[in-house]
Amino acid sequence: MTKVIPHSIFSEFDINLFKSGKHFKLYEKLGSHPLEVNGVKGTYFAVWAPSARSVAVIGDFNHWNEAEHHLHVRWDGSGIWEGFVPELGVGTLYKYLIHSNNHGVVTEKADPFAKSCEHPPKTASIVSETTHQWKDKTWMATRKDKNALDKPFAVYEVHLGSWKRKGDNEFLTYTEFADELVAYVKEMNFTHVEFMPIMEYPYDPSWGYQLTGYFAPTSRFGSPEDLKLLIDKMHQNDIGVILDWVPSHFPEDAHGLGFFDGSHLFEHPDRRKGYHPDWKSLIFNYGRNEVRAFLISNAMYWLDQYHVDALRVDAVASMLYLDYSREDGEWEPNIYGNNENLDAISFLRELNETLYANFEGIQMIAEESTSFPMVTKPVHMGGLGFGMKWMMGWMHDTLEYFKKEAVYRKHHQNDLTFSATYAFSENFMLPFSHDEVVYGKKSLLYRMPGDEWQQFANLRLLFGYMYTHPGTNLIFMGGEFGQTAEWNFQKSLDWHLLQYEYHSGIQQLVKDLNKLYQSYPALYEKQFSQEGFQWIDYGDHENSVLTYIRKGHDPEKEIIVACNFTPVPRKKYRMGVTKSGSLKEIFNTDDKKYGGSGMKNKTLKVSNVSWHGLDNSVEITIPPLGMVVFA
């Protein structure tokens, strides 16, 4: 086997950008790249290891022996080691064996920029190249319109390992998902799918949130080429793709990023800033230029190479605060004496500015659980620059309310109405995510009180209320058909439940809610604006009834929503309305096709009796544990 030939694909400009933290396409330079040098085919390797004394490429081609293939360190102080190995091509297994200047430490590491990895528990990187011919030109050309903040986002959150399995509890492949999952999401009328992390991760119980291969799709379900096919197929069917992305922490696995070259290269060297006590993982050093470039390049990579439409950024709150999950004495204040992580804040701003500037029509979504201000305001206004933020407070308050027996709900109406006081402070997405159906919290269905009929009616009402509340929507897989068991990442959802009428009824309801949401601009055009929402009455706690109006750009096309949170039907219930004429029922969660009792409203004549402070009113029927929508 030929030795390493000195070769570089870095320009001086690349190196200057890298050192200053401004090189955002590092995946084109670092890592392994099959290419031809002077007529000889082989693979170029480049790795950042500034504390290394020597770096060798070891792999199946040299029997994992470090003697033969030593990379050359660049002369420019960048800490990059590189070289070209003839005859190596796609499919080669490799790692880096690093002798550190730090007390003779030796590490054996997977390539941080590898585009493919071995199936866990194996840990080698794989020389990879994809040649996918994209067929989503129409989607990419119109994405800016489909992904805009005044357009519908009905998101189906999916854990690929447990959505559906085959045979002997085996995973489906990306190509099988391209048939089955795409067809299902389209049939259910969701606008977007959100994949829980699909970058390579070693430990199944982490659900993908502990990453070791930031640039490699997990090999559990197939090759990078296969994942591109899946995303392409989603786009060809008018479905946007959101990826969960984890820049907040990474695991200490020996082959991962931690203590990479015998020094704290990627993680912050101070354990108070560099170690996460909850997740027993390491935290990136957001103040280090090259680390920022690594993370922003990684986000760019998925948007650029995989045509991804949005990133949902995990655990933003843990990044923003130095004292997150820490006791007194376990953290150090910033230079102003407070608890904000200034490096992380400036990183998130740069990340969002860079991505929005480079990719038309994408969205950045923050999973941020605190009241940190201006998460979804532009950076130039002092915000963090995200497009949307998960509305964790609404989710928590709503589920707390719904688990109460109906007889007690009149004392807790504020749990539902409080969200309106801050609903427009950010661009909120309403999430019923995977986190709400694990660790003893029960499934959404089994959180509901009452007998079986009431549990299903409550769940229908919950989804109806969600879809008519200001904001965009996200439902975790299984919720859409009333999964009874908590989510288990080790097995398929309980698809057999769909043989039962109540479960198929919930599924039909969600399908129709998605259609309703997309068919009536009043539900999405001003979903982040106070102008898009008006209470009719939020004070009828005795009856546990809420009535409100949703508005879009056309004032003639507002819709009216009435929710009854008790099992007692409200007949001849007088409700104020803004206009004369007649009301037509356009949606009812109590419809028999959903498993309801079938209590409906015929076309209703509006009278000029003033009510609820409005000039006109109408008498309606609100079914038990039901939501009715009128146009």
Side-chain angles (χ1 to χ4, degrees):
M1 176 65 70
T2 319
K3 296 286 190 283
V4 176
I5 296 170
H7 183 73
S8 184
I9 60 174
F10 281 90
S11 66
E12 193 178 334
F13 182 59
D14 285 324
I15 295 298
N16 289 335
L17 282 179
F18 175 57
K19 286 179 173 177
S20 62
K22 302 294 181 188
H23 200 309
F24 301 139
K25 286 198 170 182
L26 287 174
Y27 51 89
E28 294 178 349
K29 304 291 177 178
L30 288 164
S32 58
H33 301 271
L35 45 89
E36 200 174 294
V37 175
N38 299 328
V40 178
K41 288 186 173 174
T43 297
Y44 165 81
F45 295 92
V47 62
W48 178 50
S51 291
R53 185 160 43 84
S54 69
V55 178
V57 184
I58 58 173
D60 53 357
F61 57 94
N62 62 13
H63 308 292
W64 304 96
N65 183 336
E66 66 168 305
E68 295 185 51
H69 295 95
H70 282 267
L71 299 179
H72 308 277
V73 67
R74 289 184 61 91
W75 52 269
D76 50 26
S78 61
I80 292 170
W81 297 73
E82 60 184 353
F84 176 75
V85 183
E87 298 168 38
L88 290 193
V90 171
T92 300
L93 299 179
Y94 72 100
K95 281 186 178 178
Y96 298 119
L97 195 123
I98 302 167
H99 285 266
S100 176
N101 281 320
N102 183 8
H103 305 300
V105 172
V106 180
T107 60
E108 191 177 298
K109 295 291 186 179
D111 187 343
F113 283 86
K115 296 181 177 73
S116 182
C117 299
E118 278 190 297
H119 193 307
K122 294 179 178 176
T123 56
S125 302
I126 305 173
V127 176
S128 169
E129 196 171 46
T130 69
T131 53
H132 183 75
Q133 299 294 311
W134 289 92
K135 295 177 181 149
D136 62 351
K137 195 173 174 185
T138 305
W139 169 268
M140 295 301 278
T142 57
R143 174 172 76 176
K144 183 185 176 192
D145 182 54
K146 299 218 175 73
N147 241 13
L149 292 173
D150 61 353
K151 290 296 190 300
F153 268 72
V155 183
Y156 187 52
E157 187 192 20
V158 174
H159 177 261
L160 286 178
S162 56
W163 179 71
K164 191 181 279 186
R165 293 201 178 184
K166 59 186 177 185
D168 195 17
N169 204 32
E170 289 175 47
F171 293 133
L172 295 183
T173 64
Y174 292 125
T175 49
E176 287 167 327
F177 286 120
D179 292 329
E180 293 196 40
L181 181 60
V182 171
Y184 182 73
V185 174
K186 189 175 177 68
E187 183 202 344
M188 290 298 294
N189 298 319
F190 285 102
T191 63
H192 293 73
V193 69
E194 178 179 317
F195 294 131
M196 288 169 67
I198 52 170
M199 302 80 188
E200 194 59 85
Y201 58 100
Y203 186 52
D204 281 9
S206 80
W207 310 335
Y209 288 98
Q210 300 265 7
L211 305 181
T212 50
Y214 270 77
F215 291 83
T218 178
S219 51
R220 287 167 175 80
F221 315 116
S223 69
E225 188 74 26
D226 297 337
L227 175 58
K228 288 183 178 179
L229 173 77
L230 168 58
I231 294 171
D232 204 347
K233 208 75 174 289
M234 288 283 181
H235 286 170
Q236 289 168 48
N237 284 275
D238 255 7
I239 301 161
V241 177
I242 305 169
L243 292 192
D244 249 1
W245 185 60
V246 192
S248 44
H249 65 118
F250 57 92
E252 290 191 280
D253 292 58
H255 68 288
L257 298 177
F259 211 54
F260 187 81
D261 59 355
S263 74
H264 298 291
L265 191 61
F266 290 93
E267 68 272 21
H268 200 287
D270 182 342
R271 290 285 272 195
R272 293 172 297 181
K273 293 181 186 175
Y275 182 73
H276 203 298
D278 283 0
W279 303 320
K280 298 185 171 35
S281 53
L282 301 171
I283 300 169
F284 285 103
N285 184 354
Y286 305 109
R288 188 165 193 169
N289 287 342
E290 298 91 341
V291 172
R292 291 166 78 108
F294 168 81
L295 286 169
I296 295 176
S297 290
N298 185 243
M300 291 273 284
Y301 174 73
W302 294 104
L303 300 173
D304 174 22
Q305 299 291 300
Y306 283 82
H307 289 202
V308 166
D309 305 294
L311 296 176
R312 177 265 195 190
V313 183
D314 182 61
V316 172
S318 75
M319 299 169 67
L320 294 175
Y321 295 105
L322 296 165
D323 61 345
Y324 185 89
S325 257
R326 294 177 195 274
E327 304 294 328
D328 287 348
E330 294 178 350
W331 63 283
E332 185 179 44
N334 64 29
I335 54 169
Y336 303 113
N338 66 33
N339 65 343
E340 291 178 352
N341 187 332
L342 302 177
D343 288 336
I345 290 167
S346 83
F347 161 72
L348 288 168
R349 286 175 171 153
E350 184 173 27
L351 169 77
N352 287 324
E353 276 195 315
T354 303
L355 297 180
Y356 278 114
N358 279 278
F359 298 97
E360 189 172 54
I362 58 122
Q363 289 296 347
M364 295 294 289
I365 304 163
E367 190 233 359
E368 202 286 307
S369 53
T370 74
S371 55
F372 191 92
M374 299 174 66
V375 172
T376 57
K377 296 293 183 281
V379 173
H380 68 81
M381 289 173 59
L384 288 183
F386 283 96
M388 281 178 254
K389 163 179 161 158
W390 276 21
M391 198 175 188
M392 313 290 274
W394 170 87
M395 176 273 299
H396 178 266
D397 290 347
T398 301
L399 290 177
E400 273 298 304
Y401 177 88
F402 266 84
K403 79 179 188 187
K404 291 179 171 65
E405 294 283 351
V407 67
Y408 301 119
R409 287 180 175 175
K410 63 183 178 184
H411 305 298
H412 298 278
Q413 189 132 317
N414 185 50
D415 285 358
L416 290 184
T417 58
F418 179 65
S419 62
T421 64
Y422 66 95
F424 308 106
S425 60
E426 302 277 6
N427 301 338
F428 281 118
M429 176 177 279
L430 312 180
F432 288 134
S433 75
H434 62 274
D435 275 325
E436 302 319 307
V437 291
V438 286
Y439 299 146
K441 292 180 182 174
K442 300 184 184 172
S443 65
L444 288 181
L445 178 68
Y446 278 3
R447 285 187 178 201
M448 302 297 155
D451 59 21
E452 183 185 45
W453 189 90
Q454 289 189 12
Q455 285 183 313
F456 278 93
N458 267 306
L459 186 59
R460 294 192 298 269
L461 173 58
L462 175 73
F463 286 147
Y465 166 66
M466 172 197 200
Y467 271 81
T468 56
H469 187 288
T472 54
N473 308 289
L474 175 141
I475 295 176
F476 181 57
M477 62 181 203
E480 83 281 6
F481 61 80
Q483 169 99 356
T484 51
E486 280 195 0
W487 170 51
N488 180 352
F489 71 91
Q490 293 174 302
K491 67 185 188 75
S492 168
L493 296 176
D494 294 329
W495 293 102
H496 63 274
L497 292 173
L498 284 167
Q499 67 188 297
Y500 302 110
E501 190 183 339
Y502 281 159
H503 291 279
S504 61
I506 292 279
Q507 187 187 49
Q508 185 64 48
L509 172 101
V510 171
K511 184 194 292 191
D512 291 352
L513 277 172
N514 281 330
K515 197 169 180 183
L516 176 84
Y517 174 47
Q518 294 164 63
S519 302
Y520 288 87
L523 287 172
Y524 60 78
E525 284 181 340
K526 295 186 175 181
Q527 58 197 350
F528 303 128
S529 166
Q530 182 75 60
E531 295 170 5
F533 177 80
Q534 179 185 334
W535 284 117
I536 295 173
D537 183 22
Y538 59 83
D540 187 6
H541 50 83
E542 276 303 320
N543 288 310
S544 297
V545 168
L546 289 178
T547 47
Y548 47 93
I549 302 169
R550 294 295 309 279
K551 306 173 185 181
H553 298 314
D554 184 345
E556 295 305 311
K557 292 188 177 171
E558 63 182 35
I559 65 168
I560 295 167
V561 183
C563 300
N564 173 13
F565 296 96
T566 74
V568 181
R570 305 296 173 194
K571 294 180 178 176
K572 295 196 171 178
Y573 186 89
R574 186 164 287 280
M575 173 180 73
V577 292
T578 55
K579 296 179 175 61
S580 57
S582 58
L583 278 194
K584 179 186 169 197
E585 180 181 291
I586 56 171
F587 196 89
N588 188 328
T589 62
D590 191 51
D591 196 307
K592 282 188 171 169
K593 67 180 172 181
Y594 306 139
S597 63
M599 199 173 282
K600 294 184 138 187
N601 291 270
K602 296 186 169 68
T603 300
L604 303 165
K605 188 85 182 90
V606 173
S607 62
N608 59 359
V609 176
S610 63
W611 206 259
H612 291 142
L614 299 170
D615 291 341
N616 306 289
S617 62
V618 64
E619 282 190 342
I620 61 172
T621 295
I622 322 177
L625 295 170
M627 178 205 78
V628 194
V629 185
F630 300 96

